[in-house]
Amino acid sequence: MQETNVSIEKTEILSDNWYTLKKVTFNIKKENGHTETQSREAYDRGNGAVILLYNTHTKNVILTRQFRLPTYINGNPDGMLIEACAGLLDNDNPEDCIKRETEEETGYKISKVEKIFEAYMSPGSVTEILHFFIAEYSDDMKINEGGGLEEEGENIEVLQLQFDETLSMIDKGEIKDAKTIMLLQHLRLKNIL
């Protein structure tokens, strides 16, 4: 096990309105042996899970479209983002979480999922680890219209798209969500569709 070169000196909570924004002051030992004190902010929103549903017969995938304020603030004209179904773990294990989120957001009830990897999505400022899943779906798994939970302010459009079309949408800049691009590329690299 690698020896840690970091010691936390002080942690301040700057905000806990939505999730928790912390300012952390720490000492870090550099390769030259000198220790330097630094201060950084880290946003803790919990860990999450994401899934890409795919159908090997129709070559379709299920994606969602919803409003994302940070994208609107940063130049997305209508704030709408096409993305894979995802959600926070909320004290669930990743597999249970993603099955619940799939049903809430897409209306598909899935029983078998395959975890493919974990990734830090924005390690310079966000603590979140995202658990990535894929799963096959068929039309008979659709049990409701999806769309998310009204009490959580979700208004999610469910999209069933041809896999090749989604790859083209990445090239055209119509799909800009990192987790979604990673999952679509995974299907492509593994020749799943």
Side-chain angles (χ1 to χ4, degrees):
M1 187 170 177
Q2 186 177 348
E3 180 183 330
T4 182
N5 293 321
V6 177
S7 63
I8 305 288
E9 295 300 312
K10 180 169 70 168
T11 301
E12 303 167 72
I13 295 180
L14 301 180
S15 173
D16 65 354
N17 186 30
W18 186 249
Y19 297 109
T20 306
L21 178 61
K22 297 176 182 177
K23 180 178 180 183
V24 179
T25 304
F26 58 96
N27 294 322
I28 186 165
K29 189 175 182 181
K30 303 288 209 155
E31 286 186 26
N32 65 9
H34 294 126
T35 299
E36 183 177 287
T37 301
Q38 297 182 0
S39 190
R40 298 287 186 272
E41 293 177 6
Y43 192 55
D44 184 355
R45 58 186 305 271
N47 294 325
V50 60
I51 192 166
L52 182 60
L53 301 179
Y54 65 93
N55 184 308
T56 54
H57 302 293
T58 63
K59 308 292 187 213
N60 285 339
V61 295
I62 300 293
L63 296 176
T64 64
R65 183 184 348 231
Q66 62 183 306
F67 178 75
R68 296 298 199 181
L69 177 65
T71 73
Y72 180 76
I73 292 169
N74 197 21
N76 182 1
D78 63 3
M80 299 302 284
L81 199 65
I82 296 172
E83 53 188 296
C85 170
L88 293 176
L89 297 186
D90 294 331
N91 299 317
D92 277 343
N93 67 58
E95 188 173 310
D96 289 342
C97 166
I98 205 57
K99 288 176 181 177
R100 180 189 73 242
E101 288 294 331
T102 300
E103 190 173 326
E104 289 173 5
E105 290 189 9
T106 71
Y108 287 89
K109 185 170 186 70
I110 55 172
S111 57
K112 183 181 173 195
V113 298
E114 178 186 347
K115 185 171 181 182
I116 53 175
F117 54 79
E118 298 175 10
Y120 288 99
M121 294 305 293
S122 189
S125 60
V126 181
T127 62
E128 178 184 35
I129 293 174
L130 198 55
H131 301 264
F132 285 75
F133 293 89
I134 57 175
E136 276 198 76
Y137 81 94
S138 59
D139 290 340
D140 63 340
M141 294 177 175
K142 184 98 169 154
I143 61 167
N144 64 56
E145 292 307 306
L149 298 177
E150 192 173 319
E151 62 267 21
E152 291 183 8
E154 295 177 323
N155 183 19
I156 299 169
E157 180 185 357
V158 181
L159 307 173
Q160 184 168 238
L161 301 167
Q162 280 283 294
F163 177 65
D164 287 343
E165 179 186 357
T166 64
L167 298 177
S168 176
M169 292 170 78
I170 294 170
D171 291 341
K172 293 187 231 170
E174 296 170 3
I175 294 178
K176 292 185 174 183
D177 176 63
K179 65 186 178 296
T180 304
I181 293 169
M182 292 166 72
L183 284 166
L184 291 167
Q185 294 293 355
H186 175 82
L187 287 189
R188 183 171 154 185
L189 288 169
K190 300 293 184 180
N191 293 313
I192 294 171
L193 286 185

